[in-house]
Amino acid sequence: MNIKDLLKKSSNKEGFTKEELAFMLSLPEDSLGSYAIMHEANRIAKALSGNKAEVHAQFALNISRCACNCQFCSFAASNEIFKEDSNIGVESAIKSAQLFESNGANAIFVMATADYPLAKYLEVSREVRKNLKSETVLIANVGDQTLKNAIKIKDCGYAGVYHALRLREGRDTNLSPEKRKESIRNFQEAGLIVGTCVEPIGPEHTDEELAEMILYTASIAPAYSGAARRITIPNSSLAKYGMISELRMAKIVAVTRLGIPRETAGNCTHEPCTLGALAGANLFWAETGANPRDIKEKTENGRGGTVEHCRKLFWETNWDVLTGPSVFYRQRPPKINEAFNYPAGLSAGPL
């Protein structure tokens, strides 16, 4: 197996096996092979999106000491970051959404923790939707849902959702991997376009684990995939492992781009960085309010970036930024078997 042959497969739009993806992931980050992969990913991403990156924005409806206890999350009750639960009101939610809209975000995400009451989420969402322009793209970021609830979310005016099967789901979280996958299917059946990601990546995750997750994200035909590193949360059981570097994350972003069908134009990374953009990421997020990667109640005073900051990072790496509603959430990708020539037996991934 060599990088020259793998790059040729990429140029021919062929799919990759788990072993091939793991081999690319195993190359030293500062090697010529890794730089070649990042260059190829950048080429693909720019060609697919017409060199138009997107900046999406997210605000949170609440802070919760969440019983799901995802060890990478500042909301986990077991991590003891936040001492009290809190919610923002309808007016604050509307103002947050309108600020992002006026700043030119291509899509606006409304996030709530898994234990936030769905009825309340729908109530706030309807008011937010009524106070935005009709063309503004609204995206939900919520916990696992039944098909019935997914349809309710769609009926509130959401175009799509962000939902991910996280690395070591069920081991580092109290959530069921099968339930996560079922929710993704429910969202799609309800008519919501799903965006996802390989996340949250830490030093302990093997190349084989990452390759499997890349194949899984490919199998659901998402609006975008991508890769995001884990930010260390103090007191968590995962803090002892530390973090991967931005360069490591950028290489994983690039391999993910090579492993995802061309019909999926989006390739995200978080948190925003120039190395990610150089490696083929064409989607960043700005954030306000609570943030599962931040220990501050208002992430705009901590890790959260602004729409303008994300635009600046793309400009630094020769990306233009889309003006207007998100294209990634406008075009529904085809079913995976129609979209990409994956080797037999890999279309659903081993997860």
Side-chain angles (χ1 to χ4, degrees), residues 116-151:
Y116 191 86
L118 181 66
K120 182 66 174 177
Y121 185 86
L122 297 174
E123 176 188 343
V124 174
S125 297
R126 281 189 285 267
E127 293 304 312
V128 169
R129 178 73 272 177
K130 286 193 298 188
N131 285 275
L132 296 175
K133 298 174 183 177
S134 60
E135 64 268 23
T136 296
V137 177
L138 203 59
I139 306 299
N141 189 349
V142 292
D144 292 322
Q145 302 295 332
T146 63
L147 176 57
K148 182 179 179 181
N149 287 344
I151 292 171

Side-chain angles (χ1 to χ4, degrees), residues 46-342:
K46 289 190 171 183
L48 292 176
S49 60
N51 200 47
K52 296 287 187 180
E54 296 193 15
V55 176
H56 297 180
Q58 177 171 273
F59 68 93
L61 295 182
N62 72 313
I63 291 174
S64 171
R65 293 164 294 174
C66 183
C68 294
N69 281 327
C70 303
Q71 287 303 295
F72 41 76
C73 180
S74 62
F75 302 146
S78 60
N79 287 339
E80 300 183 334
I81 299 299
F82 300 111
K83 305 304 181 184
E84 297 181 357
D85 298 349
S86 63
N87 305 295
I88 67 171
V90 174
E91 289 304 314
S92 293
I94 292 170
K95 288 180 180 178
S96 294
Q98 288 178 330
L99 178 61
F100 282 141
E101 182 182 67
S102 66
N103 287 341
N106 303 115
I108 298 172
F109 289 54
V110 183
M111 184 187 75
T113 58
D115 56 355
Y116 191 86
L118 181 66
K120 182 66 174 177
Y121 185 86
L122 297 174
E123 176 188 343
V124 174
S125 297
R126 281 189 285 267
E127 293 304 312
V128 169
R129 178 73 272 177
K130 286 193 298 188
N131 285 275
L132 296 175
K133 298 174 183 177
S134 60
E135 64 268 23
T136 296
V137 177
L138 203 59
I139 306 299
N141 189 349
V142 292
D144 292 322
Q145 302 295 332
T146 63
L147 176 57
K148 182 179 179 181
N149 287 344
I151 292 171
K152 291 179 180 179
I153 292 170
K154 170 69 173 176
D155 290 344
C156 270
Y158 284 99
V161 297
Y162 177 84
H163 212 67
L165 174 67
R166 282 79 58 89
L167 289 159
R168 301 190 182 181
E169 194 81 73
R171 293 169 58 186
D172 293 339
T173 76
N174 289 345
L175 298 171
S176 160
E178 290 305 316
K179 190 71 172 178
R180 299 293 289 183
K181 291 190 280 188
E182 180 185 353
S183 292
I184 288 172
R185 293 191 293 268
N186 289 338
F187 290 132
Q188 291 178 321
E189 188 172 345
L192 292 159
I193 301 175
V194 175
T196 195
C197 187
V198 177
E199 56 108 342
I201 305 166
E204 74 277 16
H205 296 124
T206 67
D207 296 326
E208 289 73 21
E209 283 181 278
L210 299 178
E212 288 182 4
M213 191 60 78
I214 290 171
L215 288 172
Y216 172 72
T217 65
S219 78
I220 67 171
Y224 53 84
S225 185
R229 66 176 177 172
R230 183 180 67 239
I231 302 300
T232 299
I233 300 298
N235 306 325
S236 75
S237 64
L238 302 178
K240 62 186 177 184
Y241 295 113
M243 291 169 56
I244 63 171
S245 66
E246 282 192 356
L247 182 57
R248 169 68 173 163
M249 183 177 73
K251 203 271 288 290
I252 300 169
V253 168
V255 175
T256 303
R257 176 63 272 177
L258 269 61
I260 299 298
R262 298 290 202 275
E263 284 76 7
T264 294
N267 194 41
C268 71
T269 196
H270 201 69
E271 294 168 339
C273 60
T274 52
L275 283 175
L278 279 172
N282 55 9
L283 171 58
F284 288 161
W285 279 270
E287 295 174 289
T288 62
N291 177 341
R293 293 165 306 283
D294 204 338
I295 61 174
K296 292 183 179 293
E297 291 189 9
K298 294 185 177 181
T299 195
E300 56 267 41
N301 299 325
R303 304 195 69 90
T306 65
V307 173
E308 184 56 35
H309 175 66
C310 292
R311 280 205 193 99
K312 180 67 161 49
L313 292 176
F314 278 128
W315 177 84
E316 295 282 5
T317 50
N318 289 340
W319 278 95
D320 298 325
V321 176
L322 179 72
T323 299
S326 170
V327 173
F328 300 152
Y329 277 105
R330 189 187 311 163
Q331 299 173 340
R332 186 183 309 280
K335 293 181 180 179
I336 188 67
N337 289 331
E338 300 169 355
F340 209 44
N341 182 26
Y342 267 100

Side-chain angles (χ1 to χ4, degrees), residues 21-46:
L21 293 171
F23 171 77
M24 289 188 278
L25 290 165
S26 73
L27 295 173
E29 272 65 62
D30 56 356
S31 68
L32 182 60
S34 287
Y35 294 147
I37 290 167
M38 288 189 273
H39 176 271
E40 171 69 357
N42 184 277
R43 181 193 68 78
I44 294 169
K46 289 190 171 183

